[in-house]
Amino acid sequence: MRWNLAYRTLFHDRGKLIAGLVGVIFSVVLVNIQGGLFFGLIHKASMLVDRSNADIWIGHRGMHNVDFAHPIPERWQYVVAGIDGVDEVQPLRVEFGEMSLPGGGYENVVLVGIPETTDLGRAYKVVDGPDNPLDLNDSIIVDRCDSEKLFGPDVGELREVNGRRVRVAGKSNGILSFLVTPYVFTNYENAVELTGSDPSQTSYLLARVKSGADCGRICQQIKQLLPDVEAMTSDEYAKVSINFWMTRTGLGLSFGAATMLGLLVGLVMVGQTLYAMVLDRISEYATLRAIGLSERELMSILAFQSALVSSIGIAIGMVITVILKTLLSTPRATIEIPFVLYVGCGVLIFAICLFAAGLPYLRVRRIDPHTALQS
Amino acid sequence: MHQSTAVDNRVGSRAETVGIALQAKSIAKSYVIGGQSRPVLDGIDFHVDIGECVFLAGPSGSGKTTLLSILGLLLTSDSGELFLRDRRVDGLSEVERTMIRRERIGFVFQRFQLINGLTAEDNVSIPLTMDGVPMREARERAGALLSRMGLAEHRQALPSSMSPGQCQRVALARAVIGQPELILADEPTAALDGKSGKAVMELLRELTTEFSSSTVVVTHDPRIYDYADRICEMENGRFK
């Protein structure tokens, strides 16, 4: 009976039901999109690492961000290569540079130099140009998403990096730096030449381990053999790079605050709507109390109504979120919603809606069944 | 004893007169208004026999509705004793009073107090389902009762689509369907025209007689006085 009463009275007043649903849907969409934008943005901080095809990153002790590398001797790659379980080790250069623009200006870029003979560090996928554009002399790869910053270089166009001529040989899509500086990929020797830095040094050593090898153990061995370096698995270094921006920019706090604000607005809307629905039905609740419905049973009706509103709202909100994600997500403003965010958001908002039912409960508790005779 | 004299059997005969259904002894109730305690009921003694229909009449503010609320365990008295059959029911906890209202008392309200989102059938089913009767069976019994009350075609109607007279008949059906020992009606004809009012009272008498329920009706409406077994007139918190 209680469930029949709960859902029939809920659906009877469609206006209030819709208002409640809008509150829940708003919260679900806001939290998911906000969270998705956050994940999309923050994962740019580790994009080079995530797509490096490497198992272990080795850099100078205290390395904390993939874009800000401190040089280490390149010859240490042979020390690492000698460790049991290591399959391949290659150097990677990550250094800042300046690219000339057609109008006479310059744009700061992050120059990434990768060896020709390996896929280690090859984070890009060529979408415009030949299959192996870095095989060409003085070639670079830029990203389509940075076209505006770099004044739209075409494939084959000549530019200068650090005053030396380069040719745009290919384009990738969606390899964006967390910084405003575009990534420019080139082969390792070319990067040494363009940056003019010490050829005996490198930014990182990337290692691939043999199948079944213990990455953690290998990292420990590397650190024992080379006390001046830090060795981390790719997952660890991705987290370190993300954490760098999260903690040093307050990004997590600001996104978190905005997300909490969305939750709060949704909570207020749902709570207010449920409260308004209860106020409209005080007379009915008093009647039910008068004819023998207990306070606990009345509360269960409120909780059921709240659960129903939240479940329907969450389902609709999820569908809208998926549609918006499909329509609005771009490489520049990626909306990346992991499954755990969908689930977490749904559970959180469901719990909040039940909590919001507590607001009208406070009013229901004060209902005097005697008022049924006074209406 | 501040109790009225009975006006005997004006309409039909009582189904059963053996024993007392409800007895109130020295019931007193005061409200604090403007910081001062004002007595509303002043040591009322009252009883209703099994199957009897008693009207409480009197001017506004005489304490009729307050007495009805106390008899229906909606309010607690400041002092006095209250018995429902042989069980003392004053001084019970809120939960116990709620259970007694559910199991032993039926209410008819002046403004019907139907649940707007529920059909007539579902409104009438509420007391049964609260008692644990399955929904399907409750609906069948509610539908049968509504049909008997001339509302067969309105079983699936919402209160908003029914006339006041029809709504009050639905409310009456909700009050009697559980066959309670006691039915309390607060101005049941106040919102109805004369014809509808009489029809409701006839149904009330017919059903309470059939179910051996005792009835207390608060009313201002002299048109229905003929339906009472006894009329108790109140004034200033006492019976005349």
Side-chain angles (χ1 to χ4, degrees):
Chain A
M1 180 278 296
R2 275 180 276 162
W3 316 132
N4 181 50
L5 188 68
Y7 87 80
R8 280 184 187 269
T9 51
L10 185 66
F11 281 90
H12 179 67
D13 193 346
R14 297 222 170 91
K16 290 222 163 48
L17 173 64
I18 289 169
L21 284 175
V22 166
V24 178
I25 292 167
F26 175 80
S27 291
V28 171
V29 172
L30 192 67
V31 170
N32 272 317
I33 295 294
Q34 189 81 6
L37 281 168
F38 172 70
F39 281 113
L41 175 66
I42 205 68
H43 273 163
K44 286 180 185 169
S46 64
M47 197 171 275
L48 272 190
V49 182
D50 294 333
R51 301 189 186 183
S52 65
N53 305 309
D55 296 314
I56 295 172
W57 279 67
I58 301 139
H60 199 276
R61 194 168 54 199
M63 64 184 190
H64 47 48
N65 184 300
V66 68
D67 292 334
F68 303 149
H70 186 80
I72 57 173
E74 189 188 316
R75 68 174 186 283
W76 284 354
Q77 70 172 300
Y78 304 110
V79 178
V80 176
I83 293 173
D84 186 32
V86 174
D87 187 37
E88 182 185 358
V89 184
Q90 295 290 345
L92 181 83
R93 276 185 177 269
V94 180
E95 297 194 32
F96 286 90
E98 272 189 346
M99 178 184 276
S100 63
L101 301 176
Y106 292 91
E107 180 70 35
N108 285 324
V109 295
V110 176
L111 207 57
V112 182
I114 52 175
E116 288 173 31
T117 55
T118 180
D119 66 344
L120 286 175
R122 202 167 290 232
Y124 59 85
K125 192 176 279 182
V126 176
V127 294
D128 194 2
D131 287 344
N132 296 306
L134 297 188
D135 289 350
L136 304 171
N137 287 334
D138 304 328
S139 58
I140 60 168
I141 295 172
V142 296
D143 198 275
R144 274 181 180 172
C145 298
D146 290 320
S147 284
E148 202 176 327
K149 285 182 201 164
L150 301 176
F151 284 58
D154 293 324
V155 173
E157 190 174 320
L158 292 173
R159 289 289 176 91
E160 284 184 357
V161 171
N162 292 345
R164 303 176 80 105
R165 196 191 68 173
V166 293
R167 184 182 300 275
V168 177
K171 286 189 179 181
S172 60
N173 189 30
I175 302 294
L176 294 168
S177 162
F178 187 82
L179 299 166
V180 292
T181 46
Y183 283 129
V184 171
F185 291 91
T186 187
N187 69 46
Y188 192 81
E189 288 73 24
N190 201 28
V192 173
E193 209 169 303
L194 291 174
T195 55
S197 49
D198 185 349
S200 69
Q201 303 281 306
T202 189
S203 303
Y204 295 102
L205 297 172
L206 306 191
R208 190 184 347 253
V209 303
K210 290 174 181 163
S211 175
D214 181 353
C215 288
R217 178 189 60 79
I218 293 172
C219 286
Q220 285 303 320
Q221 276 188 279
I222 293 169
K223 284 189 270 191
Q224 279 171 2
L225 291 170
L226 302 168
D228 283 337
V229 307
E230 186 72 66
M232 296 182 200
T233 63
S234 290
D235 286 346
E236 284 171 349
Y237 195 38
K239 282 178 192 162
V240 166
S241 290
I242 286 171
N243 199 42
F244 176 85
W245 294 112
M246 290 268 280
T247 54
R248 298 207 183 187
T249 62
L251 191 69
L253 195 66
S254 57
F255 264 88
T259 306
M260 286 306 294
L261 199 63
L263 275 175
L264 191 67
V265 170
L267 169 73
V268 169
M269 285 179 78
V270 174
Q272 195 274 337
T273 305
L274 288 172
Y275 191 67
M277 286 167 84
V278 166
L279 283 187
D280 274 2
R281 296 208 165 87
I282 286 293
S283 166
E284 291 185 354
Y285 289 138
T287 303
L288 289 169
R289 292 282 287 117
I291 66 176
L293 196 75
S294 69
E295 189 182 299
R296 200 162 54 88
E297 289 168 330
L298 198 51
M299 182 56 203
S300 70
I301 288 175
L302 281 181
F304 180 74
Q305 288 182 331
S306 183
L308 203 58
V309 170
S310 58
S311 299
I312 296 170
I314 287 167
I316 296 173
M318 293 294 182
V319 171
I320 293 175
T321 301
V322 170
I323 293 169
L324 285 179
K325 177 179 175 287
T326 308
L327 292 177
L328 302 179
S329 183
T330 63
R332 184 176 288 281
T334 308
I335 302 172
E336 190 178 314
I337 307 176
F339 182 69
V340 70
L341 180 60
Y342 281 119
V343 174
C345 170
V347 170
L348 184 65
I349 288 176
F350 186 82
I352 283 176
C353 286
L354 285 185
F355 176 71
L359 191 64
Y361 174 64
L362 295 176
R363 182 67 188 86
V364 165
R365 282 200 69 179
R366 295 208 313 270
I367 290 175
D368 184 352
H370 172 56
T371 58
L373 290 174
Q374 295 176 322
S375 59
Chain B
M1 289 263 296
H2 303 284
Q3 184 167 330
S4 71
T5 53
V7 179
D8 290 329
N9 298 338
R10 294 189 181 184
V11 176
S13 60
R14 301 203 311 251
E16 191 183 353
T17 55
V18 181
I20 291 175
L22 174 75
Q23 186 163 31
K25 293 179 182 175
S26 304
I27 295 293
K29 179 74 179 176
S30 299
Y31 289 128
V32 177
I33 301 170
Q36 287 192 325
S37 178
R38 292 185 58 182
V40 181
L41 297 177
D42 187 11
I44 290 278
D45 288 318
F46 178 73
H47 80 275
V48 184
D49 291 334
I50 293 172
E52 189 182 25
C53 180
V54 178
F55 278 22
L56 295 176
S60 295
S62 59
K64 306 183 299 293
T65 299
T66 300
L67 178 58
L68 194 77
S69 295
I70 290 171
L71 299 179
L73 307 182
L74 297 173
L75 270 185
T76 52
S77 59
D78 296 339
S79 63
E81 296 175 0
L82 185 63
F83 294 87
L84 196 55
R85 297 278 168 109
D86 51 1
R87 183 181 178 187
R88 186 168 175 178
V89 293
D90 60 281
L92 296 179
S93 69
E94 172 57 34
V95 174
E96 288 171 314
R97 283 188 286 135
T98 299
M99 292 314 292
I100 288 177
R101 287 201 302 268
R102 176 188 295 195
E103 292 164 3
R104 302 176 69 172
I105 303 174
F107 289 90
V108 181
F109 304 99
Q110 182 178 340
R111 292 281 173 190
F112 330 129
Q113 307 290 98
L114 297 175
I115 308 301
N116 288 325
L118 298 184
T119 62
E121 195 172 79
D122 281 353
N123 264 291
V124 177
S125 300
I126 291 174
L128 295 178
T129 52
M130 277 198 299
D131 254 354
V133 176
M135 196 71 207
R136 181 189 292 264
E137 186 189 332
R139 280 181 172 148
E140 279 174 13
R141 285 169 60 181
L145 184 59
L146 286 171
S147 299
R148 188 179 153 188
M149 296 173 81
L151 293 170
E153 292 176 2
H154 293 83
R155 287 166 60 163
Q156 299 305 320
L158 292 173
S160 57
S161 64
M162 290 190 286
S163 69
Q166 289 167 335
C167 285
Q168 194 59 300
R169 274 188 279 165
V170 173
L172 183 56
R174 182 179 65 186
V176 301
I177 195 163
Q179 301 188 14
E181 297 162 23
L182 179 66
I183 291 172
L184 303 176
D186 183 37
E187 308 267 12
T189 59
L192 307 178
D193 58 43
K195 191 178 168 189
S196 300
K198 284 187 176 178
V200 163
M201 286 310 299
E202 275 168 18
L203 271 171
L204 179 64
R205 285 311 313 258
E206 181 187 329
L207 293 167
T208 53
T209 301
E210 182 179 330
F211 298 147
S212 299
S213 299
S214 306
T215 313
V216 179
V217 178
V218 165
T219 186
H220 277 111
D221 188 353
R223 294 171 302 180
I224 61 168
Y225 280 2
D226 284 348
Y227 295 94
D229 293 323
R230 184 155 53 97
I231 299 172
C232 301
E233 292 246 15
M234 291 186 73
E235 193 172 66
N236 296 326
R238 295 172 175 228
F239 287 119
K240 272 185 183 174

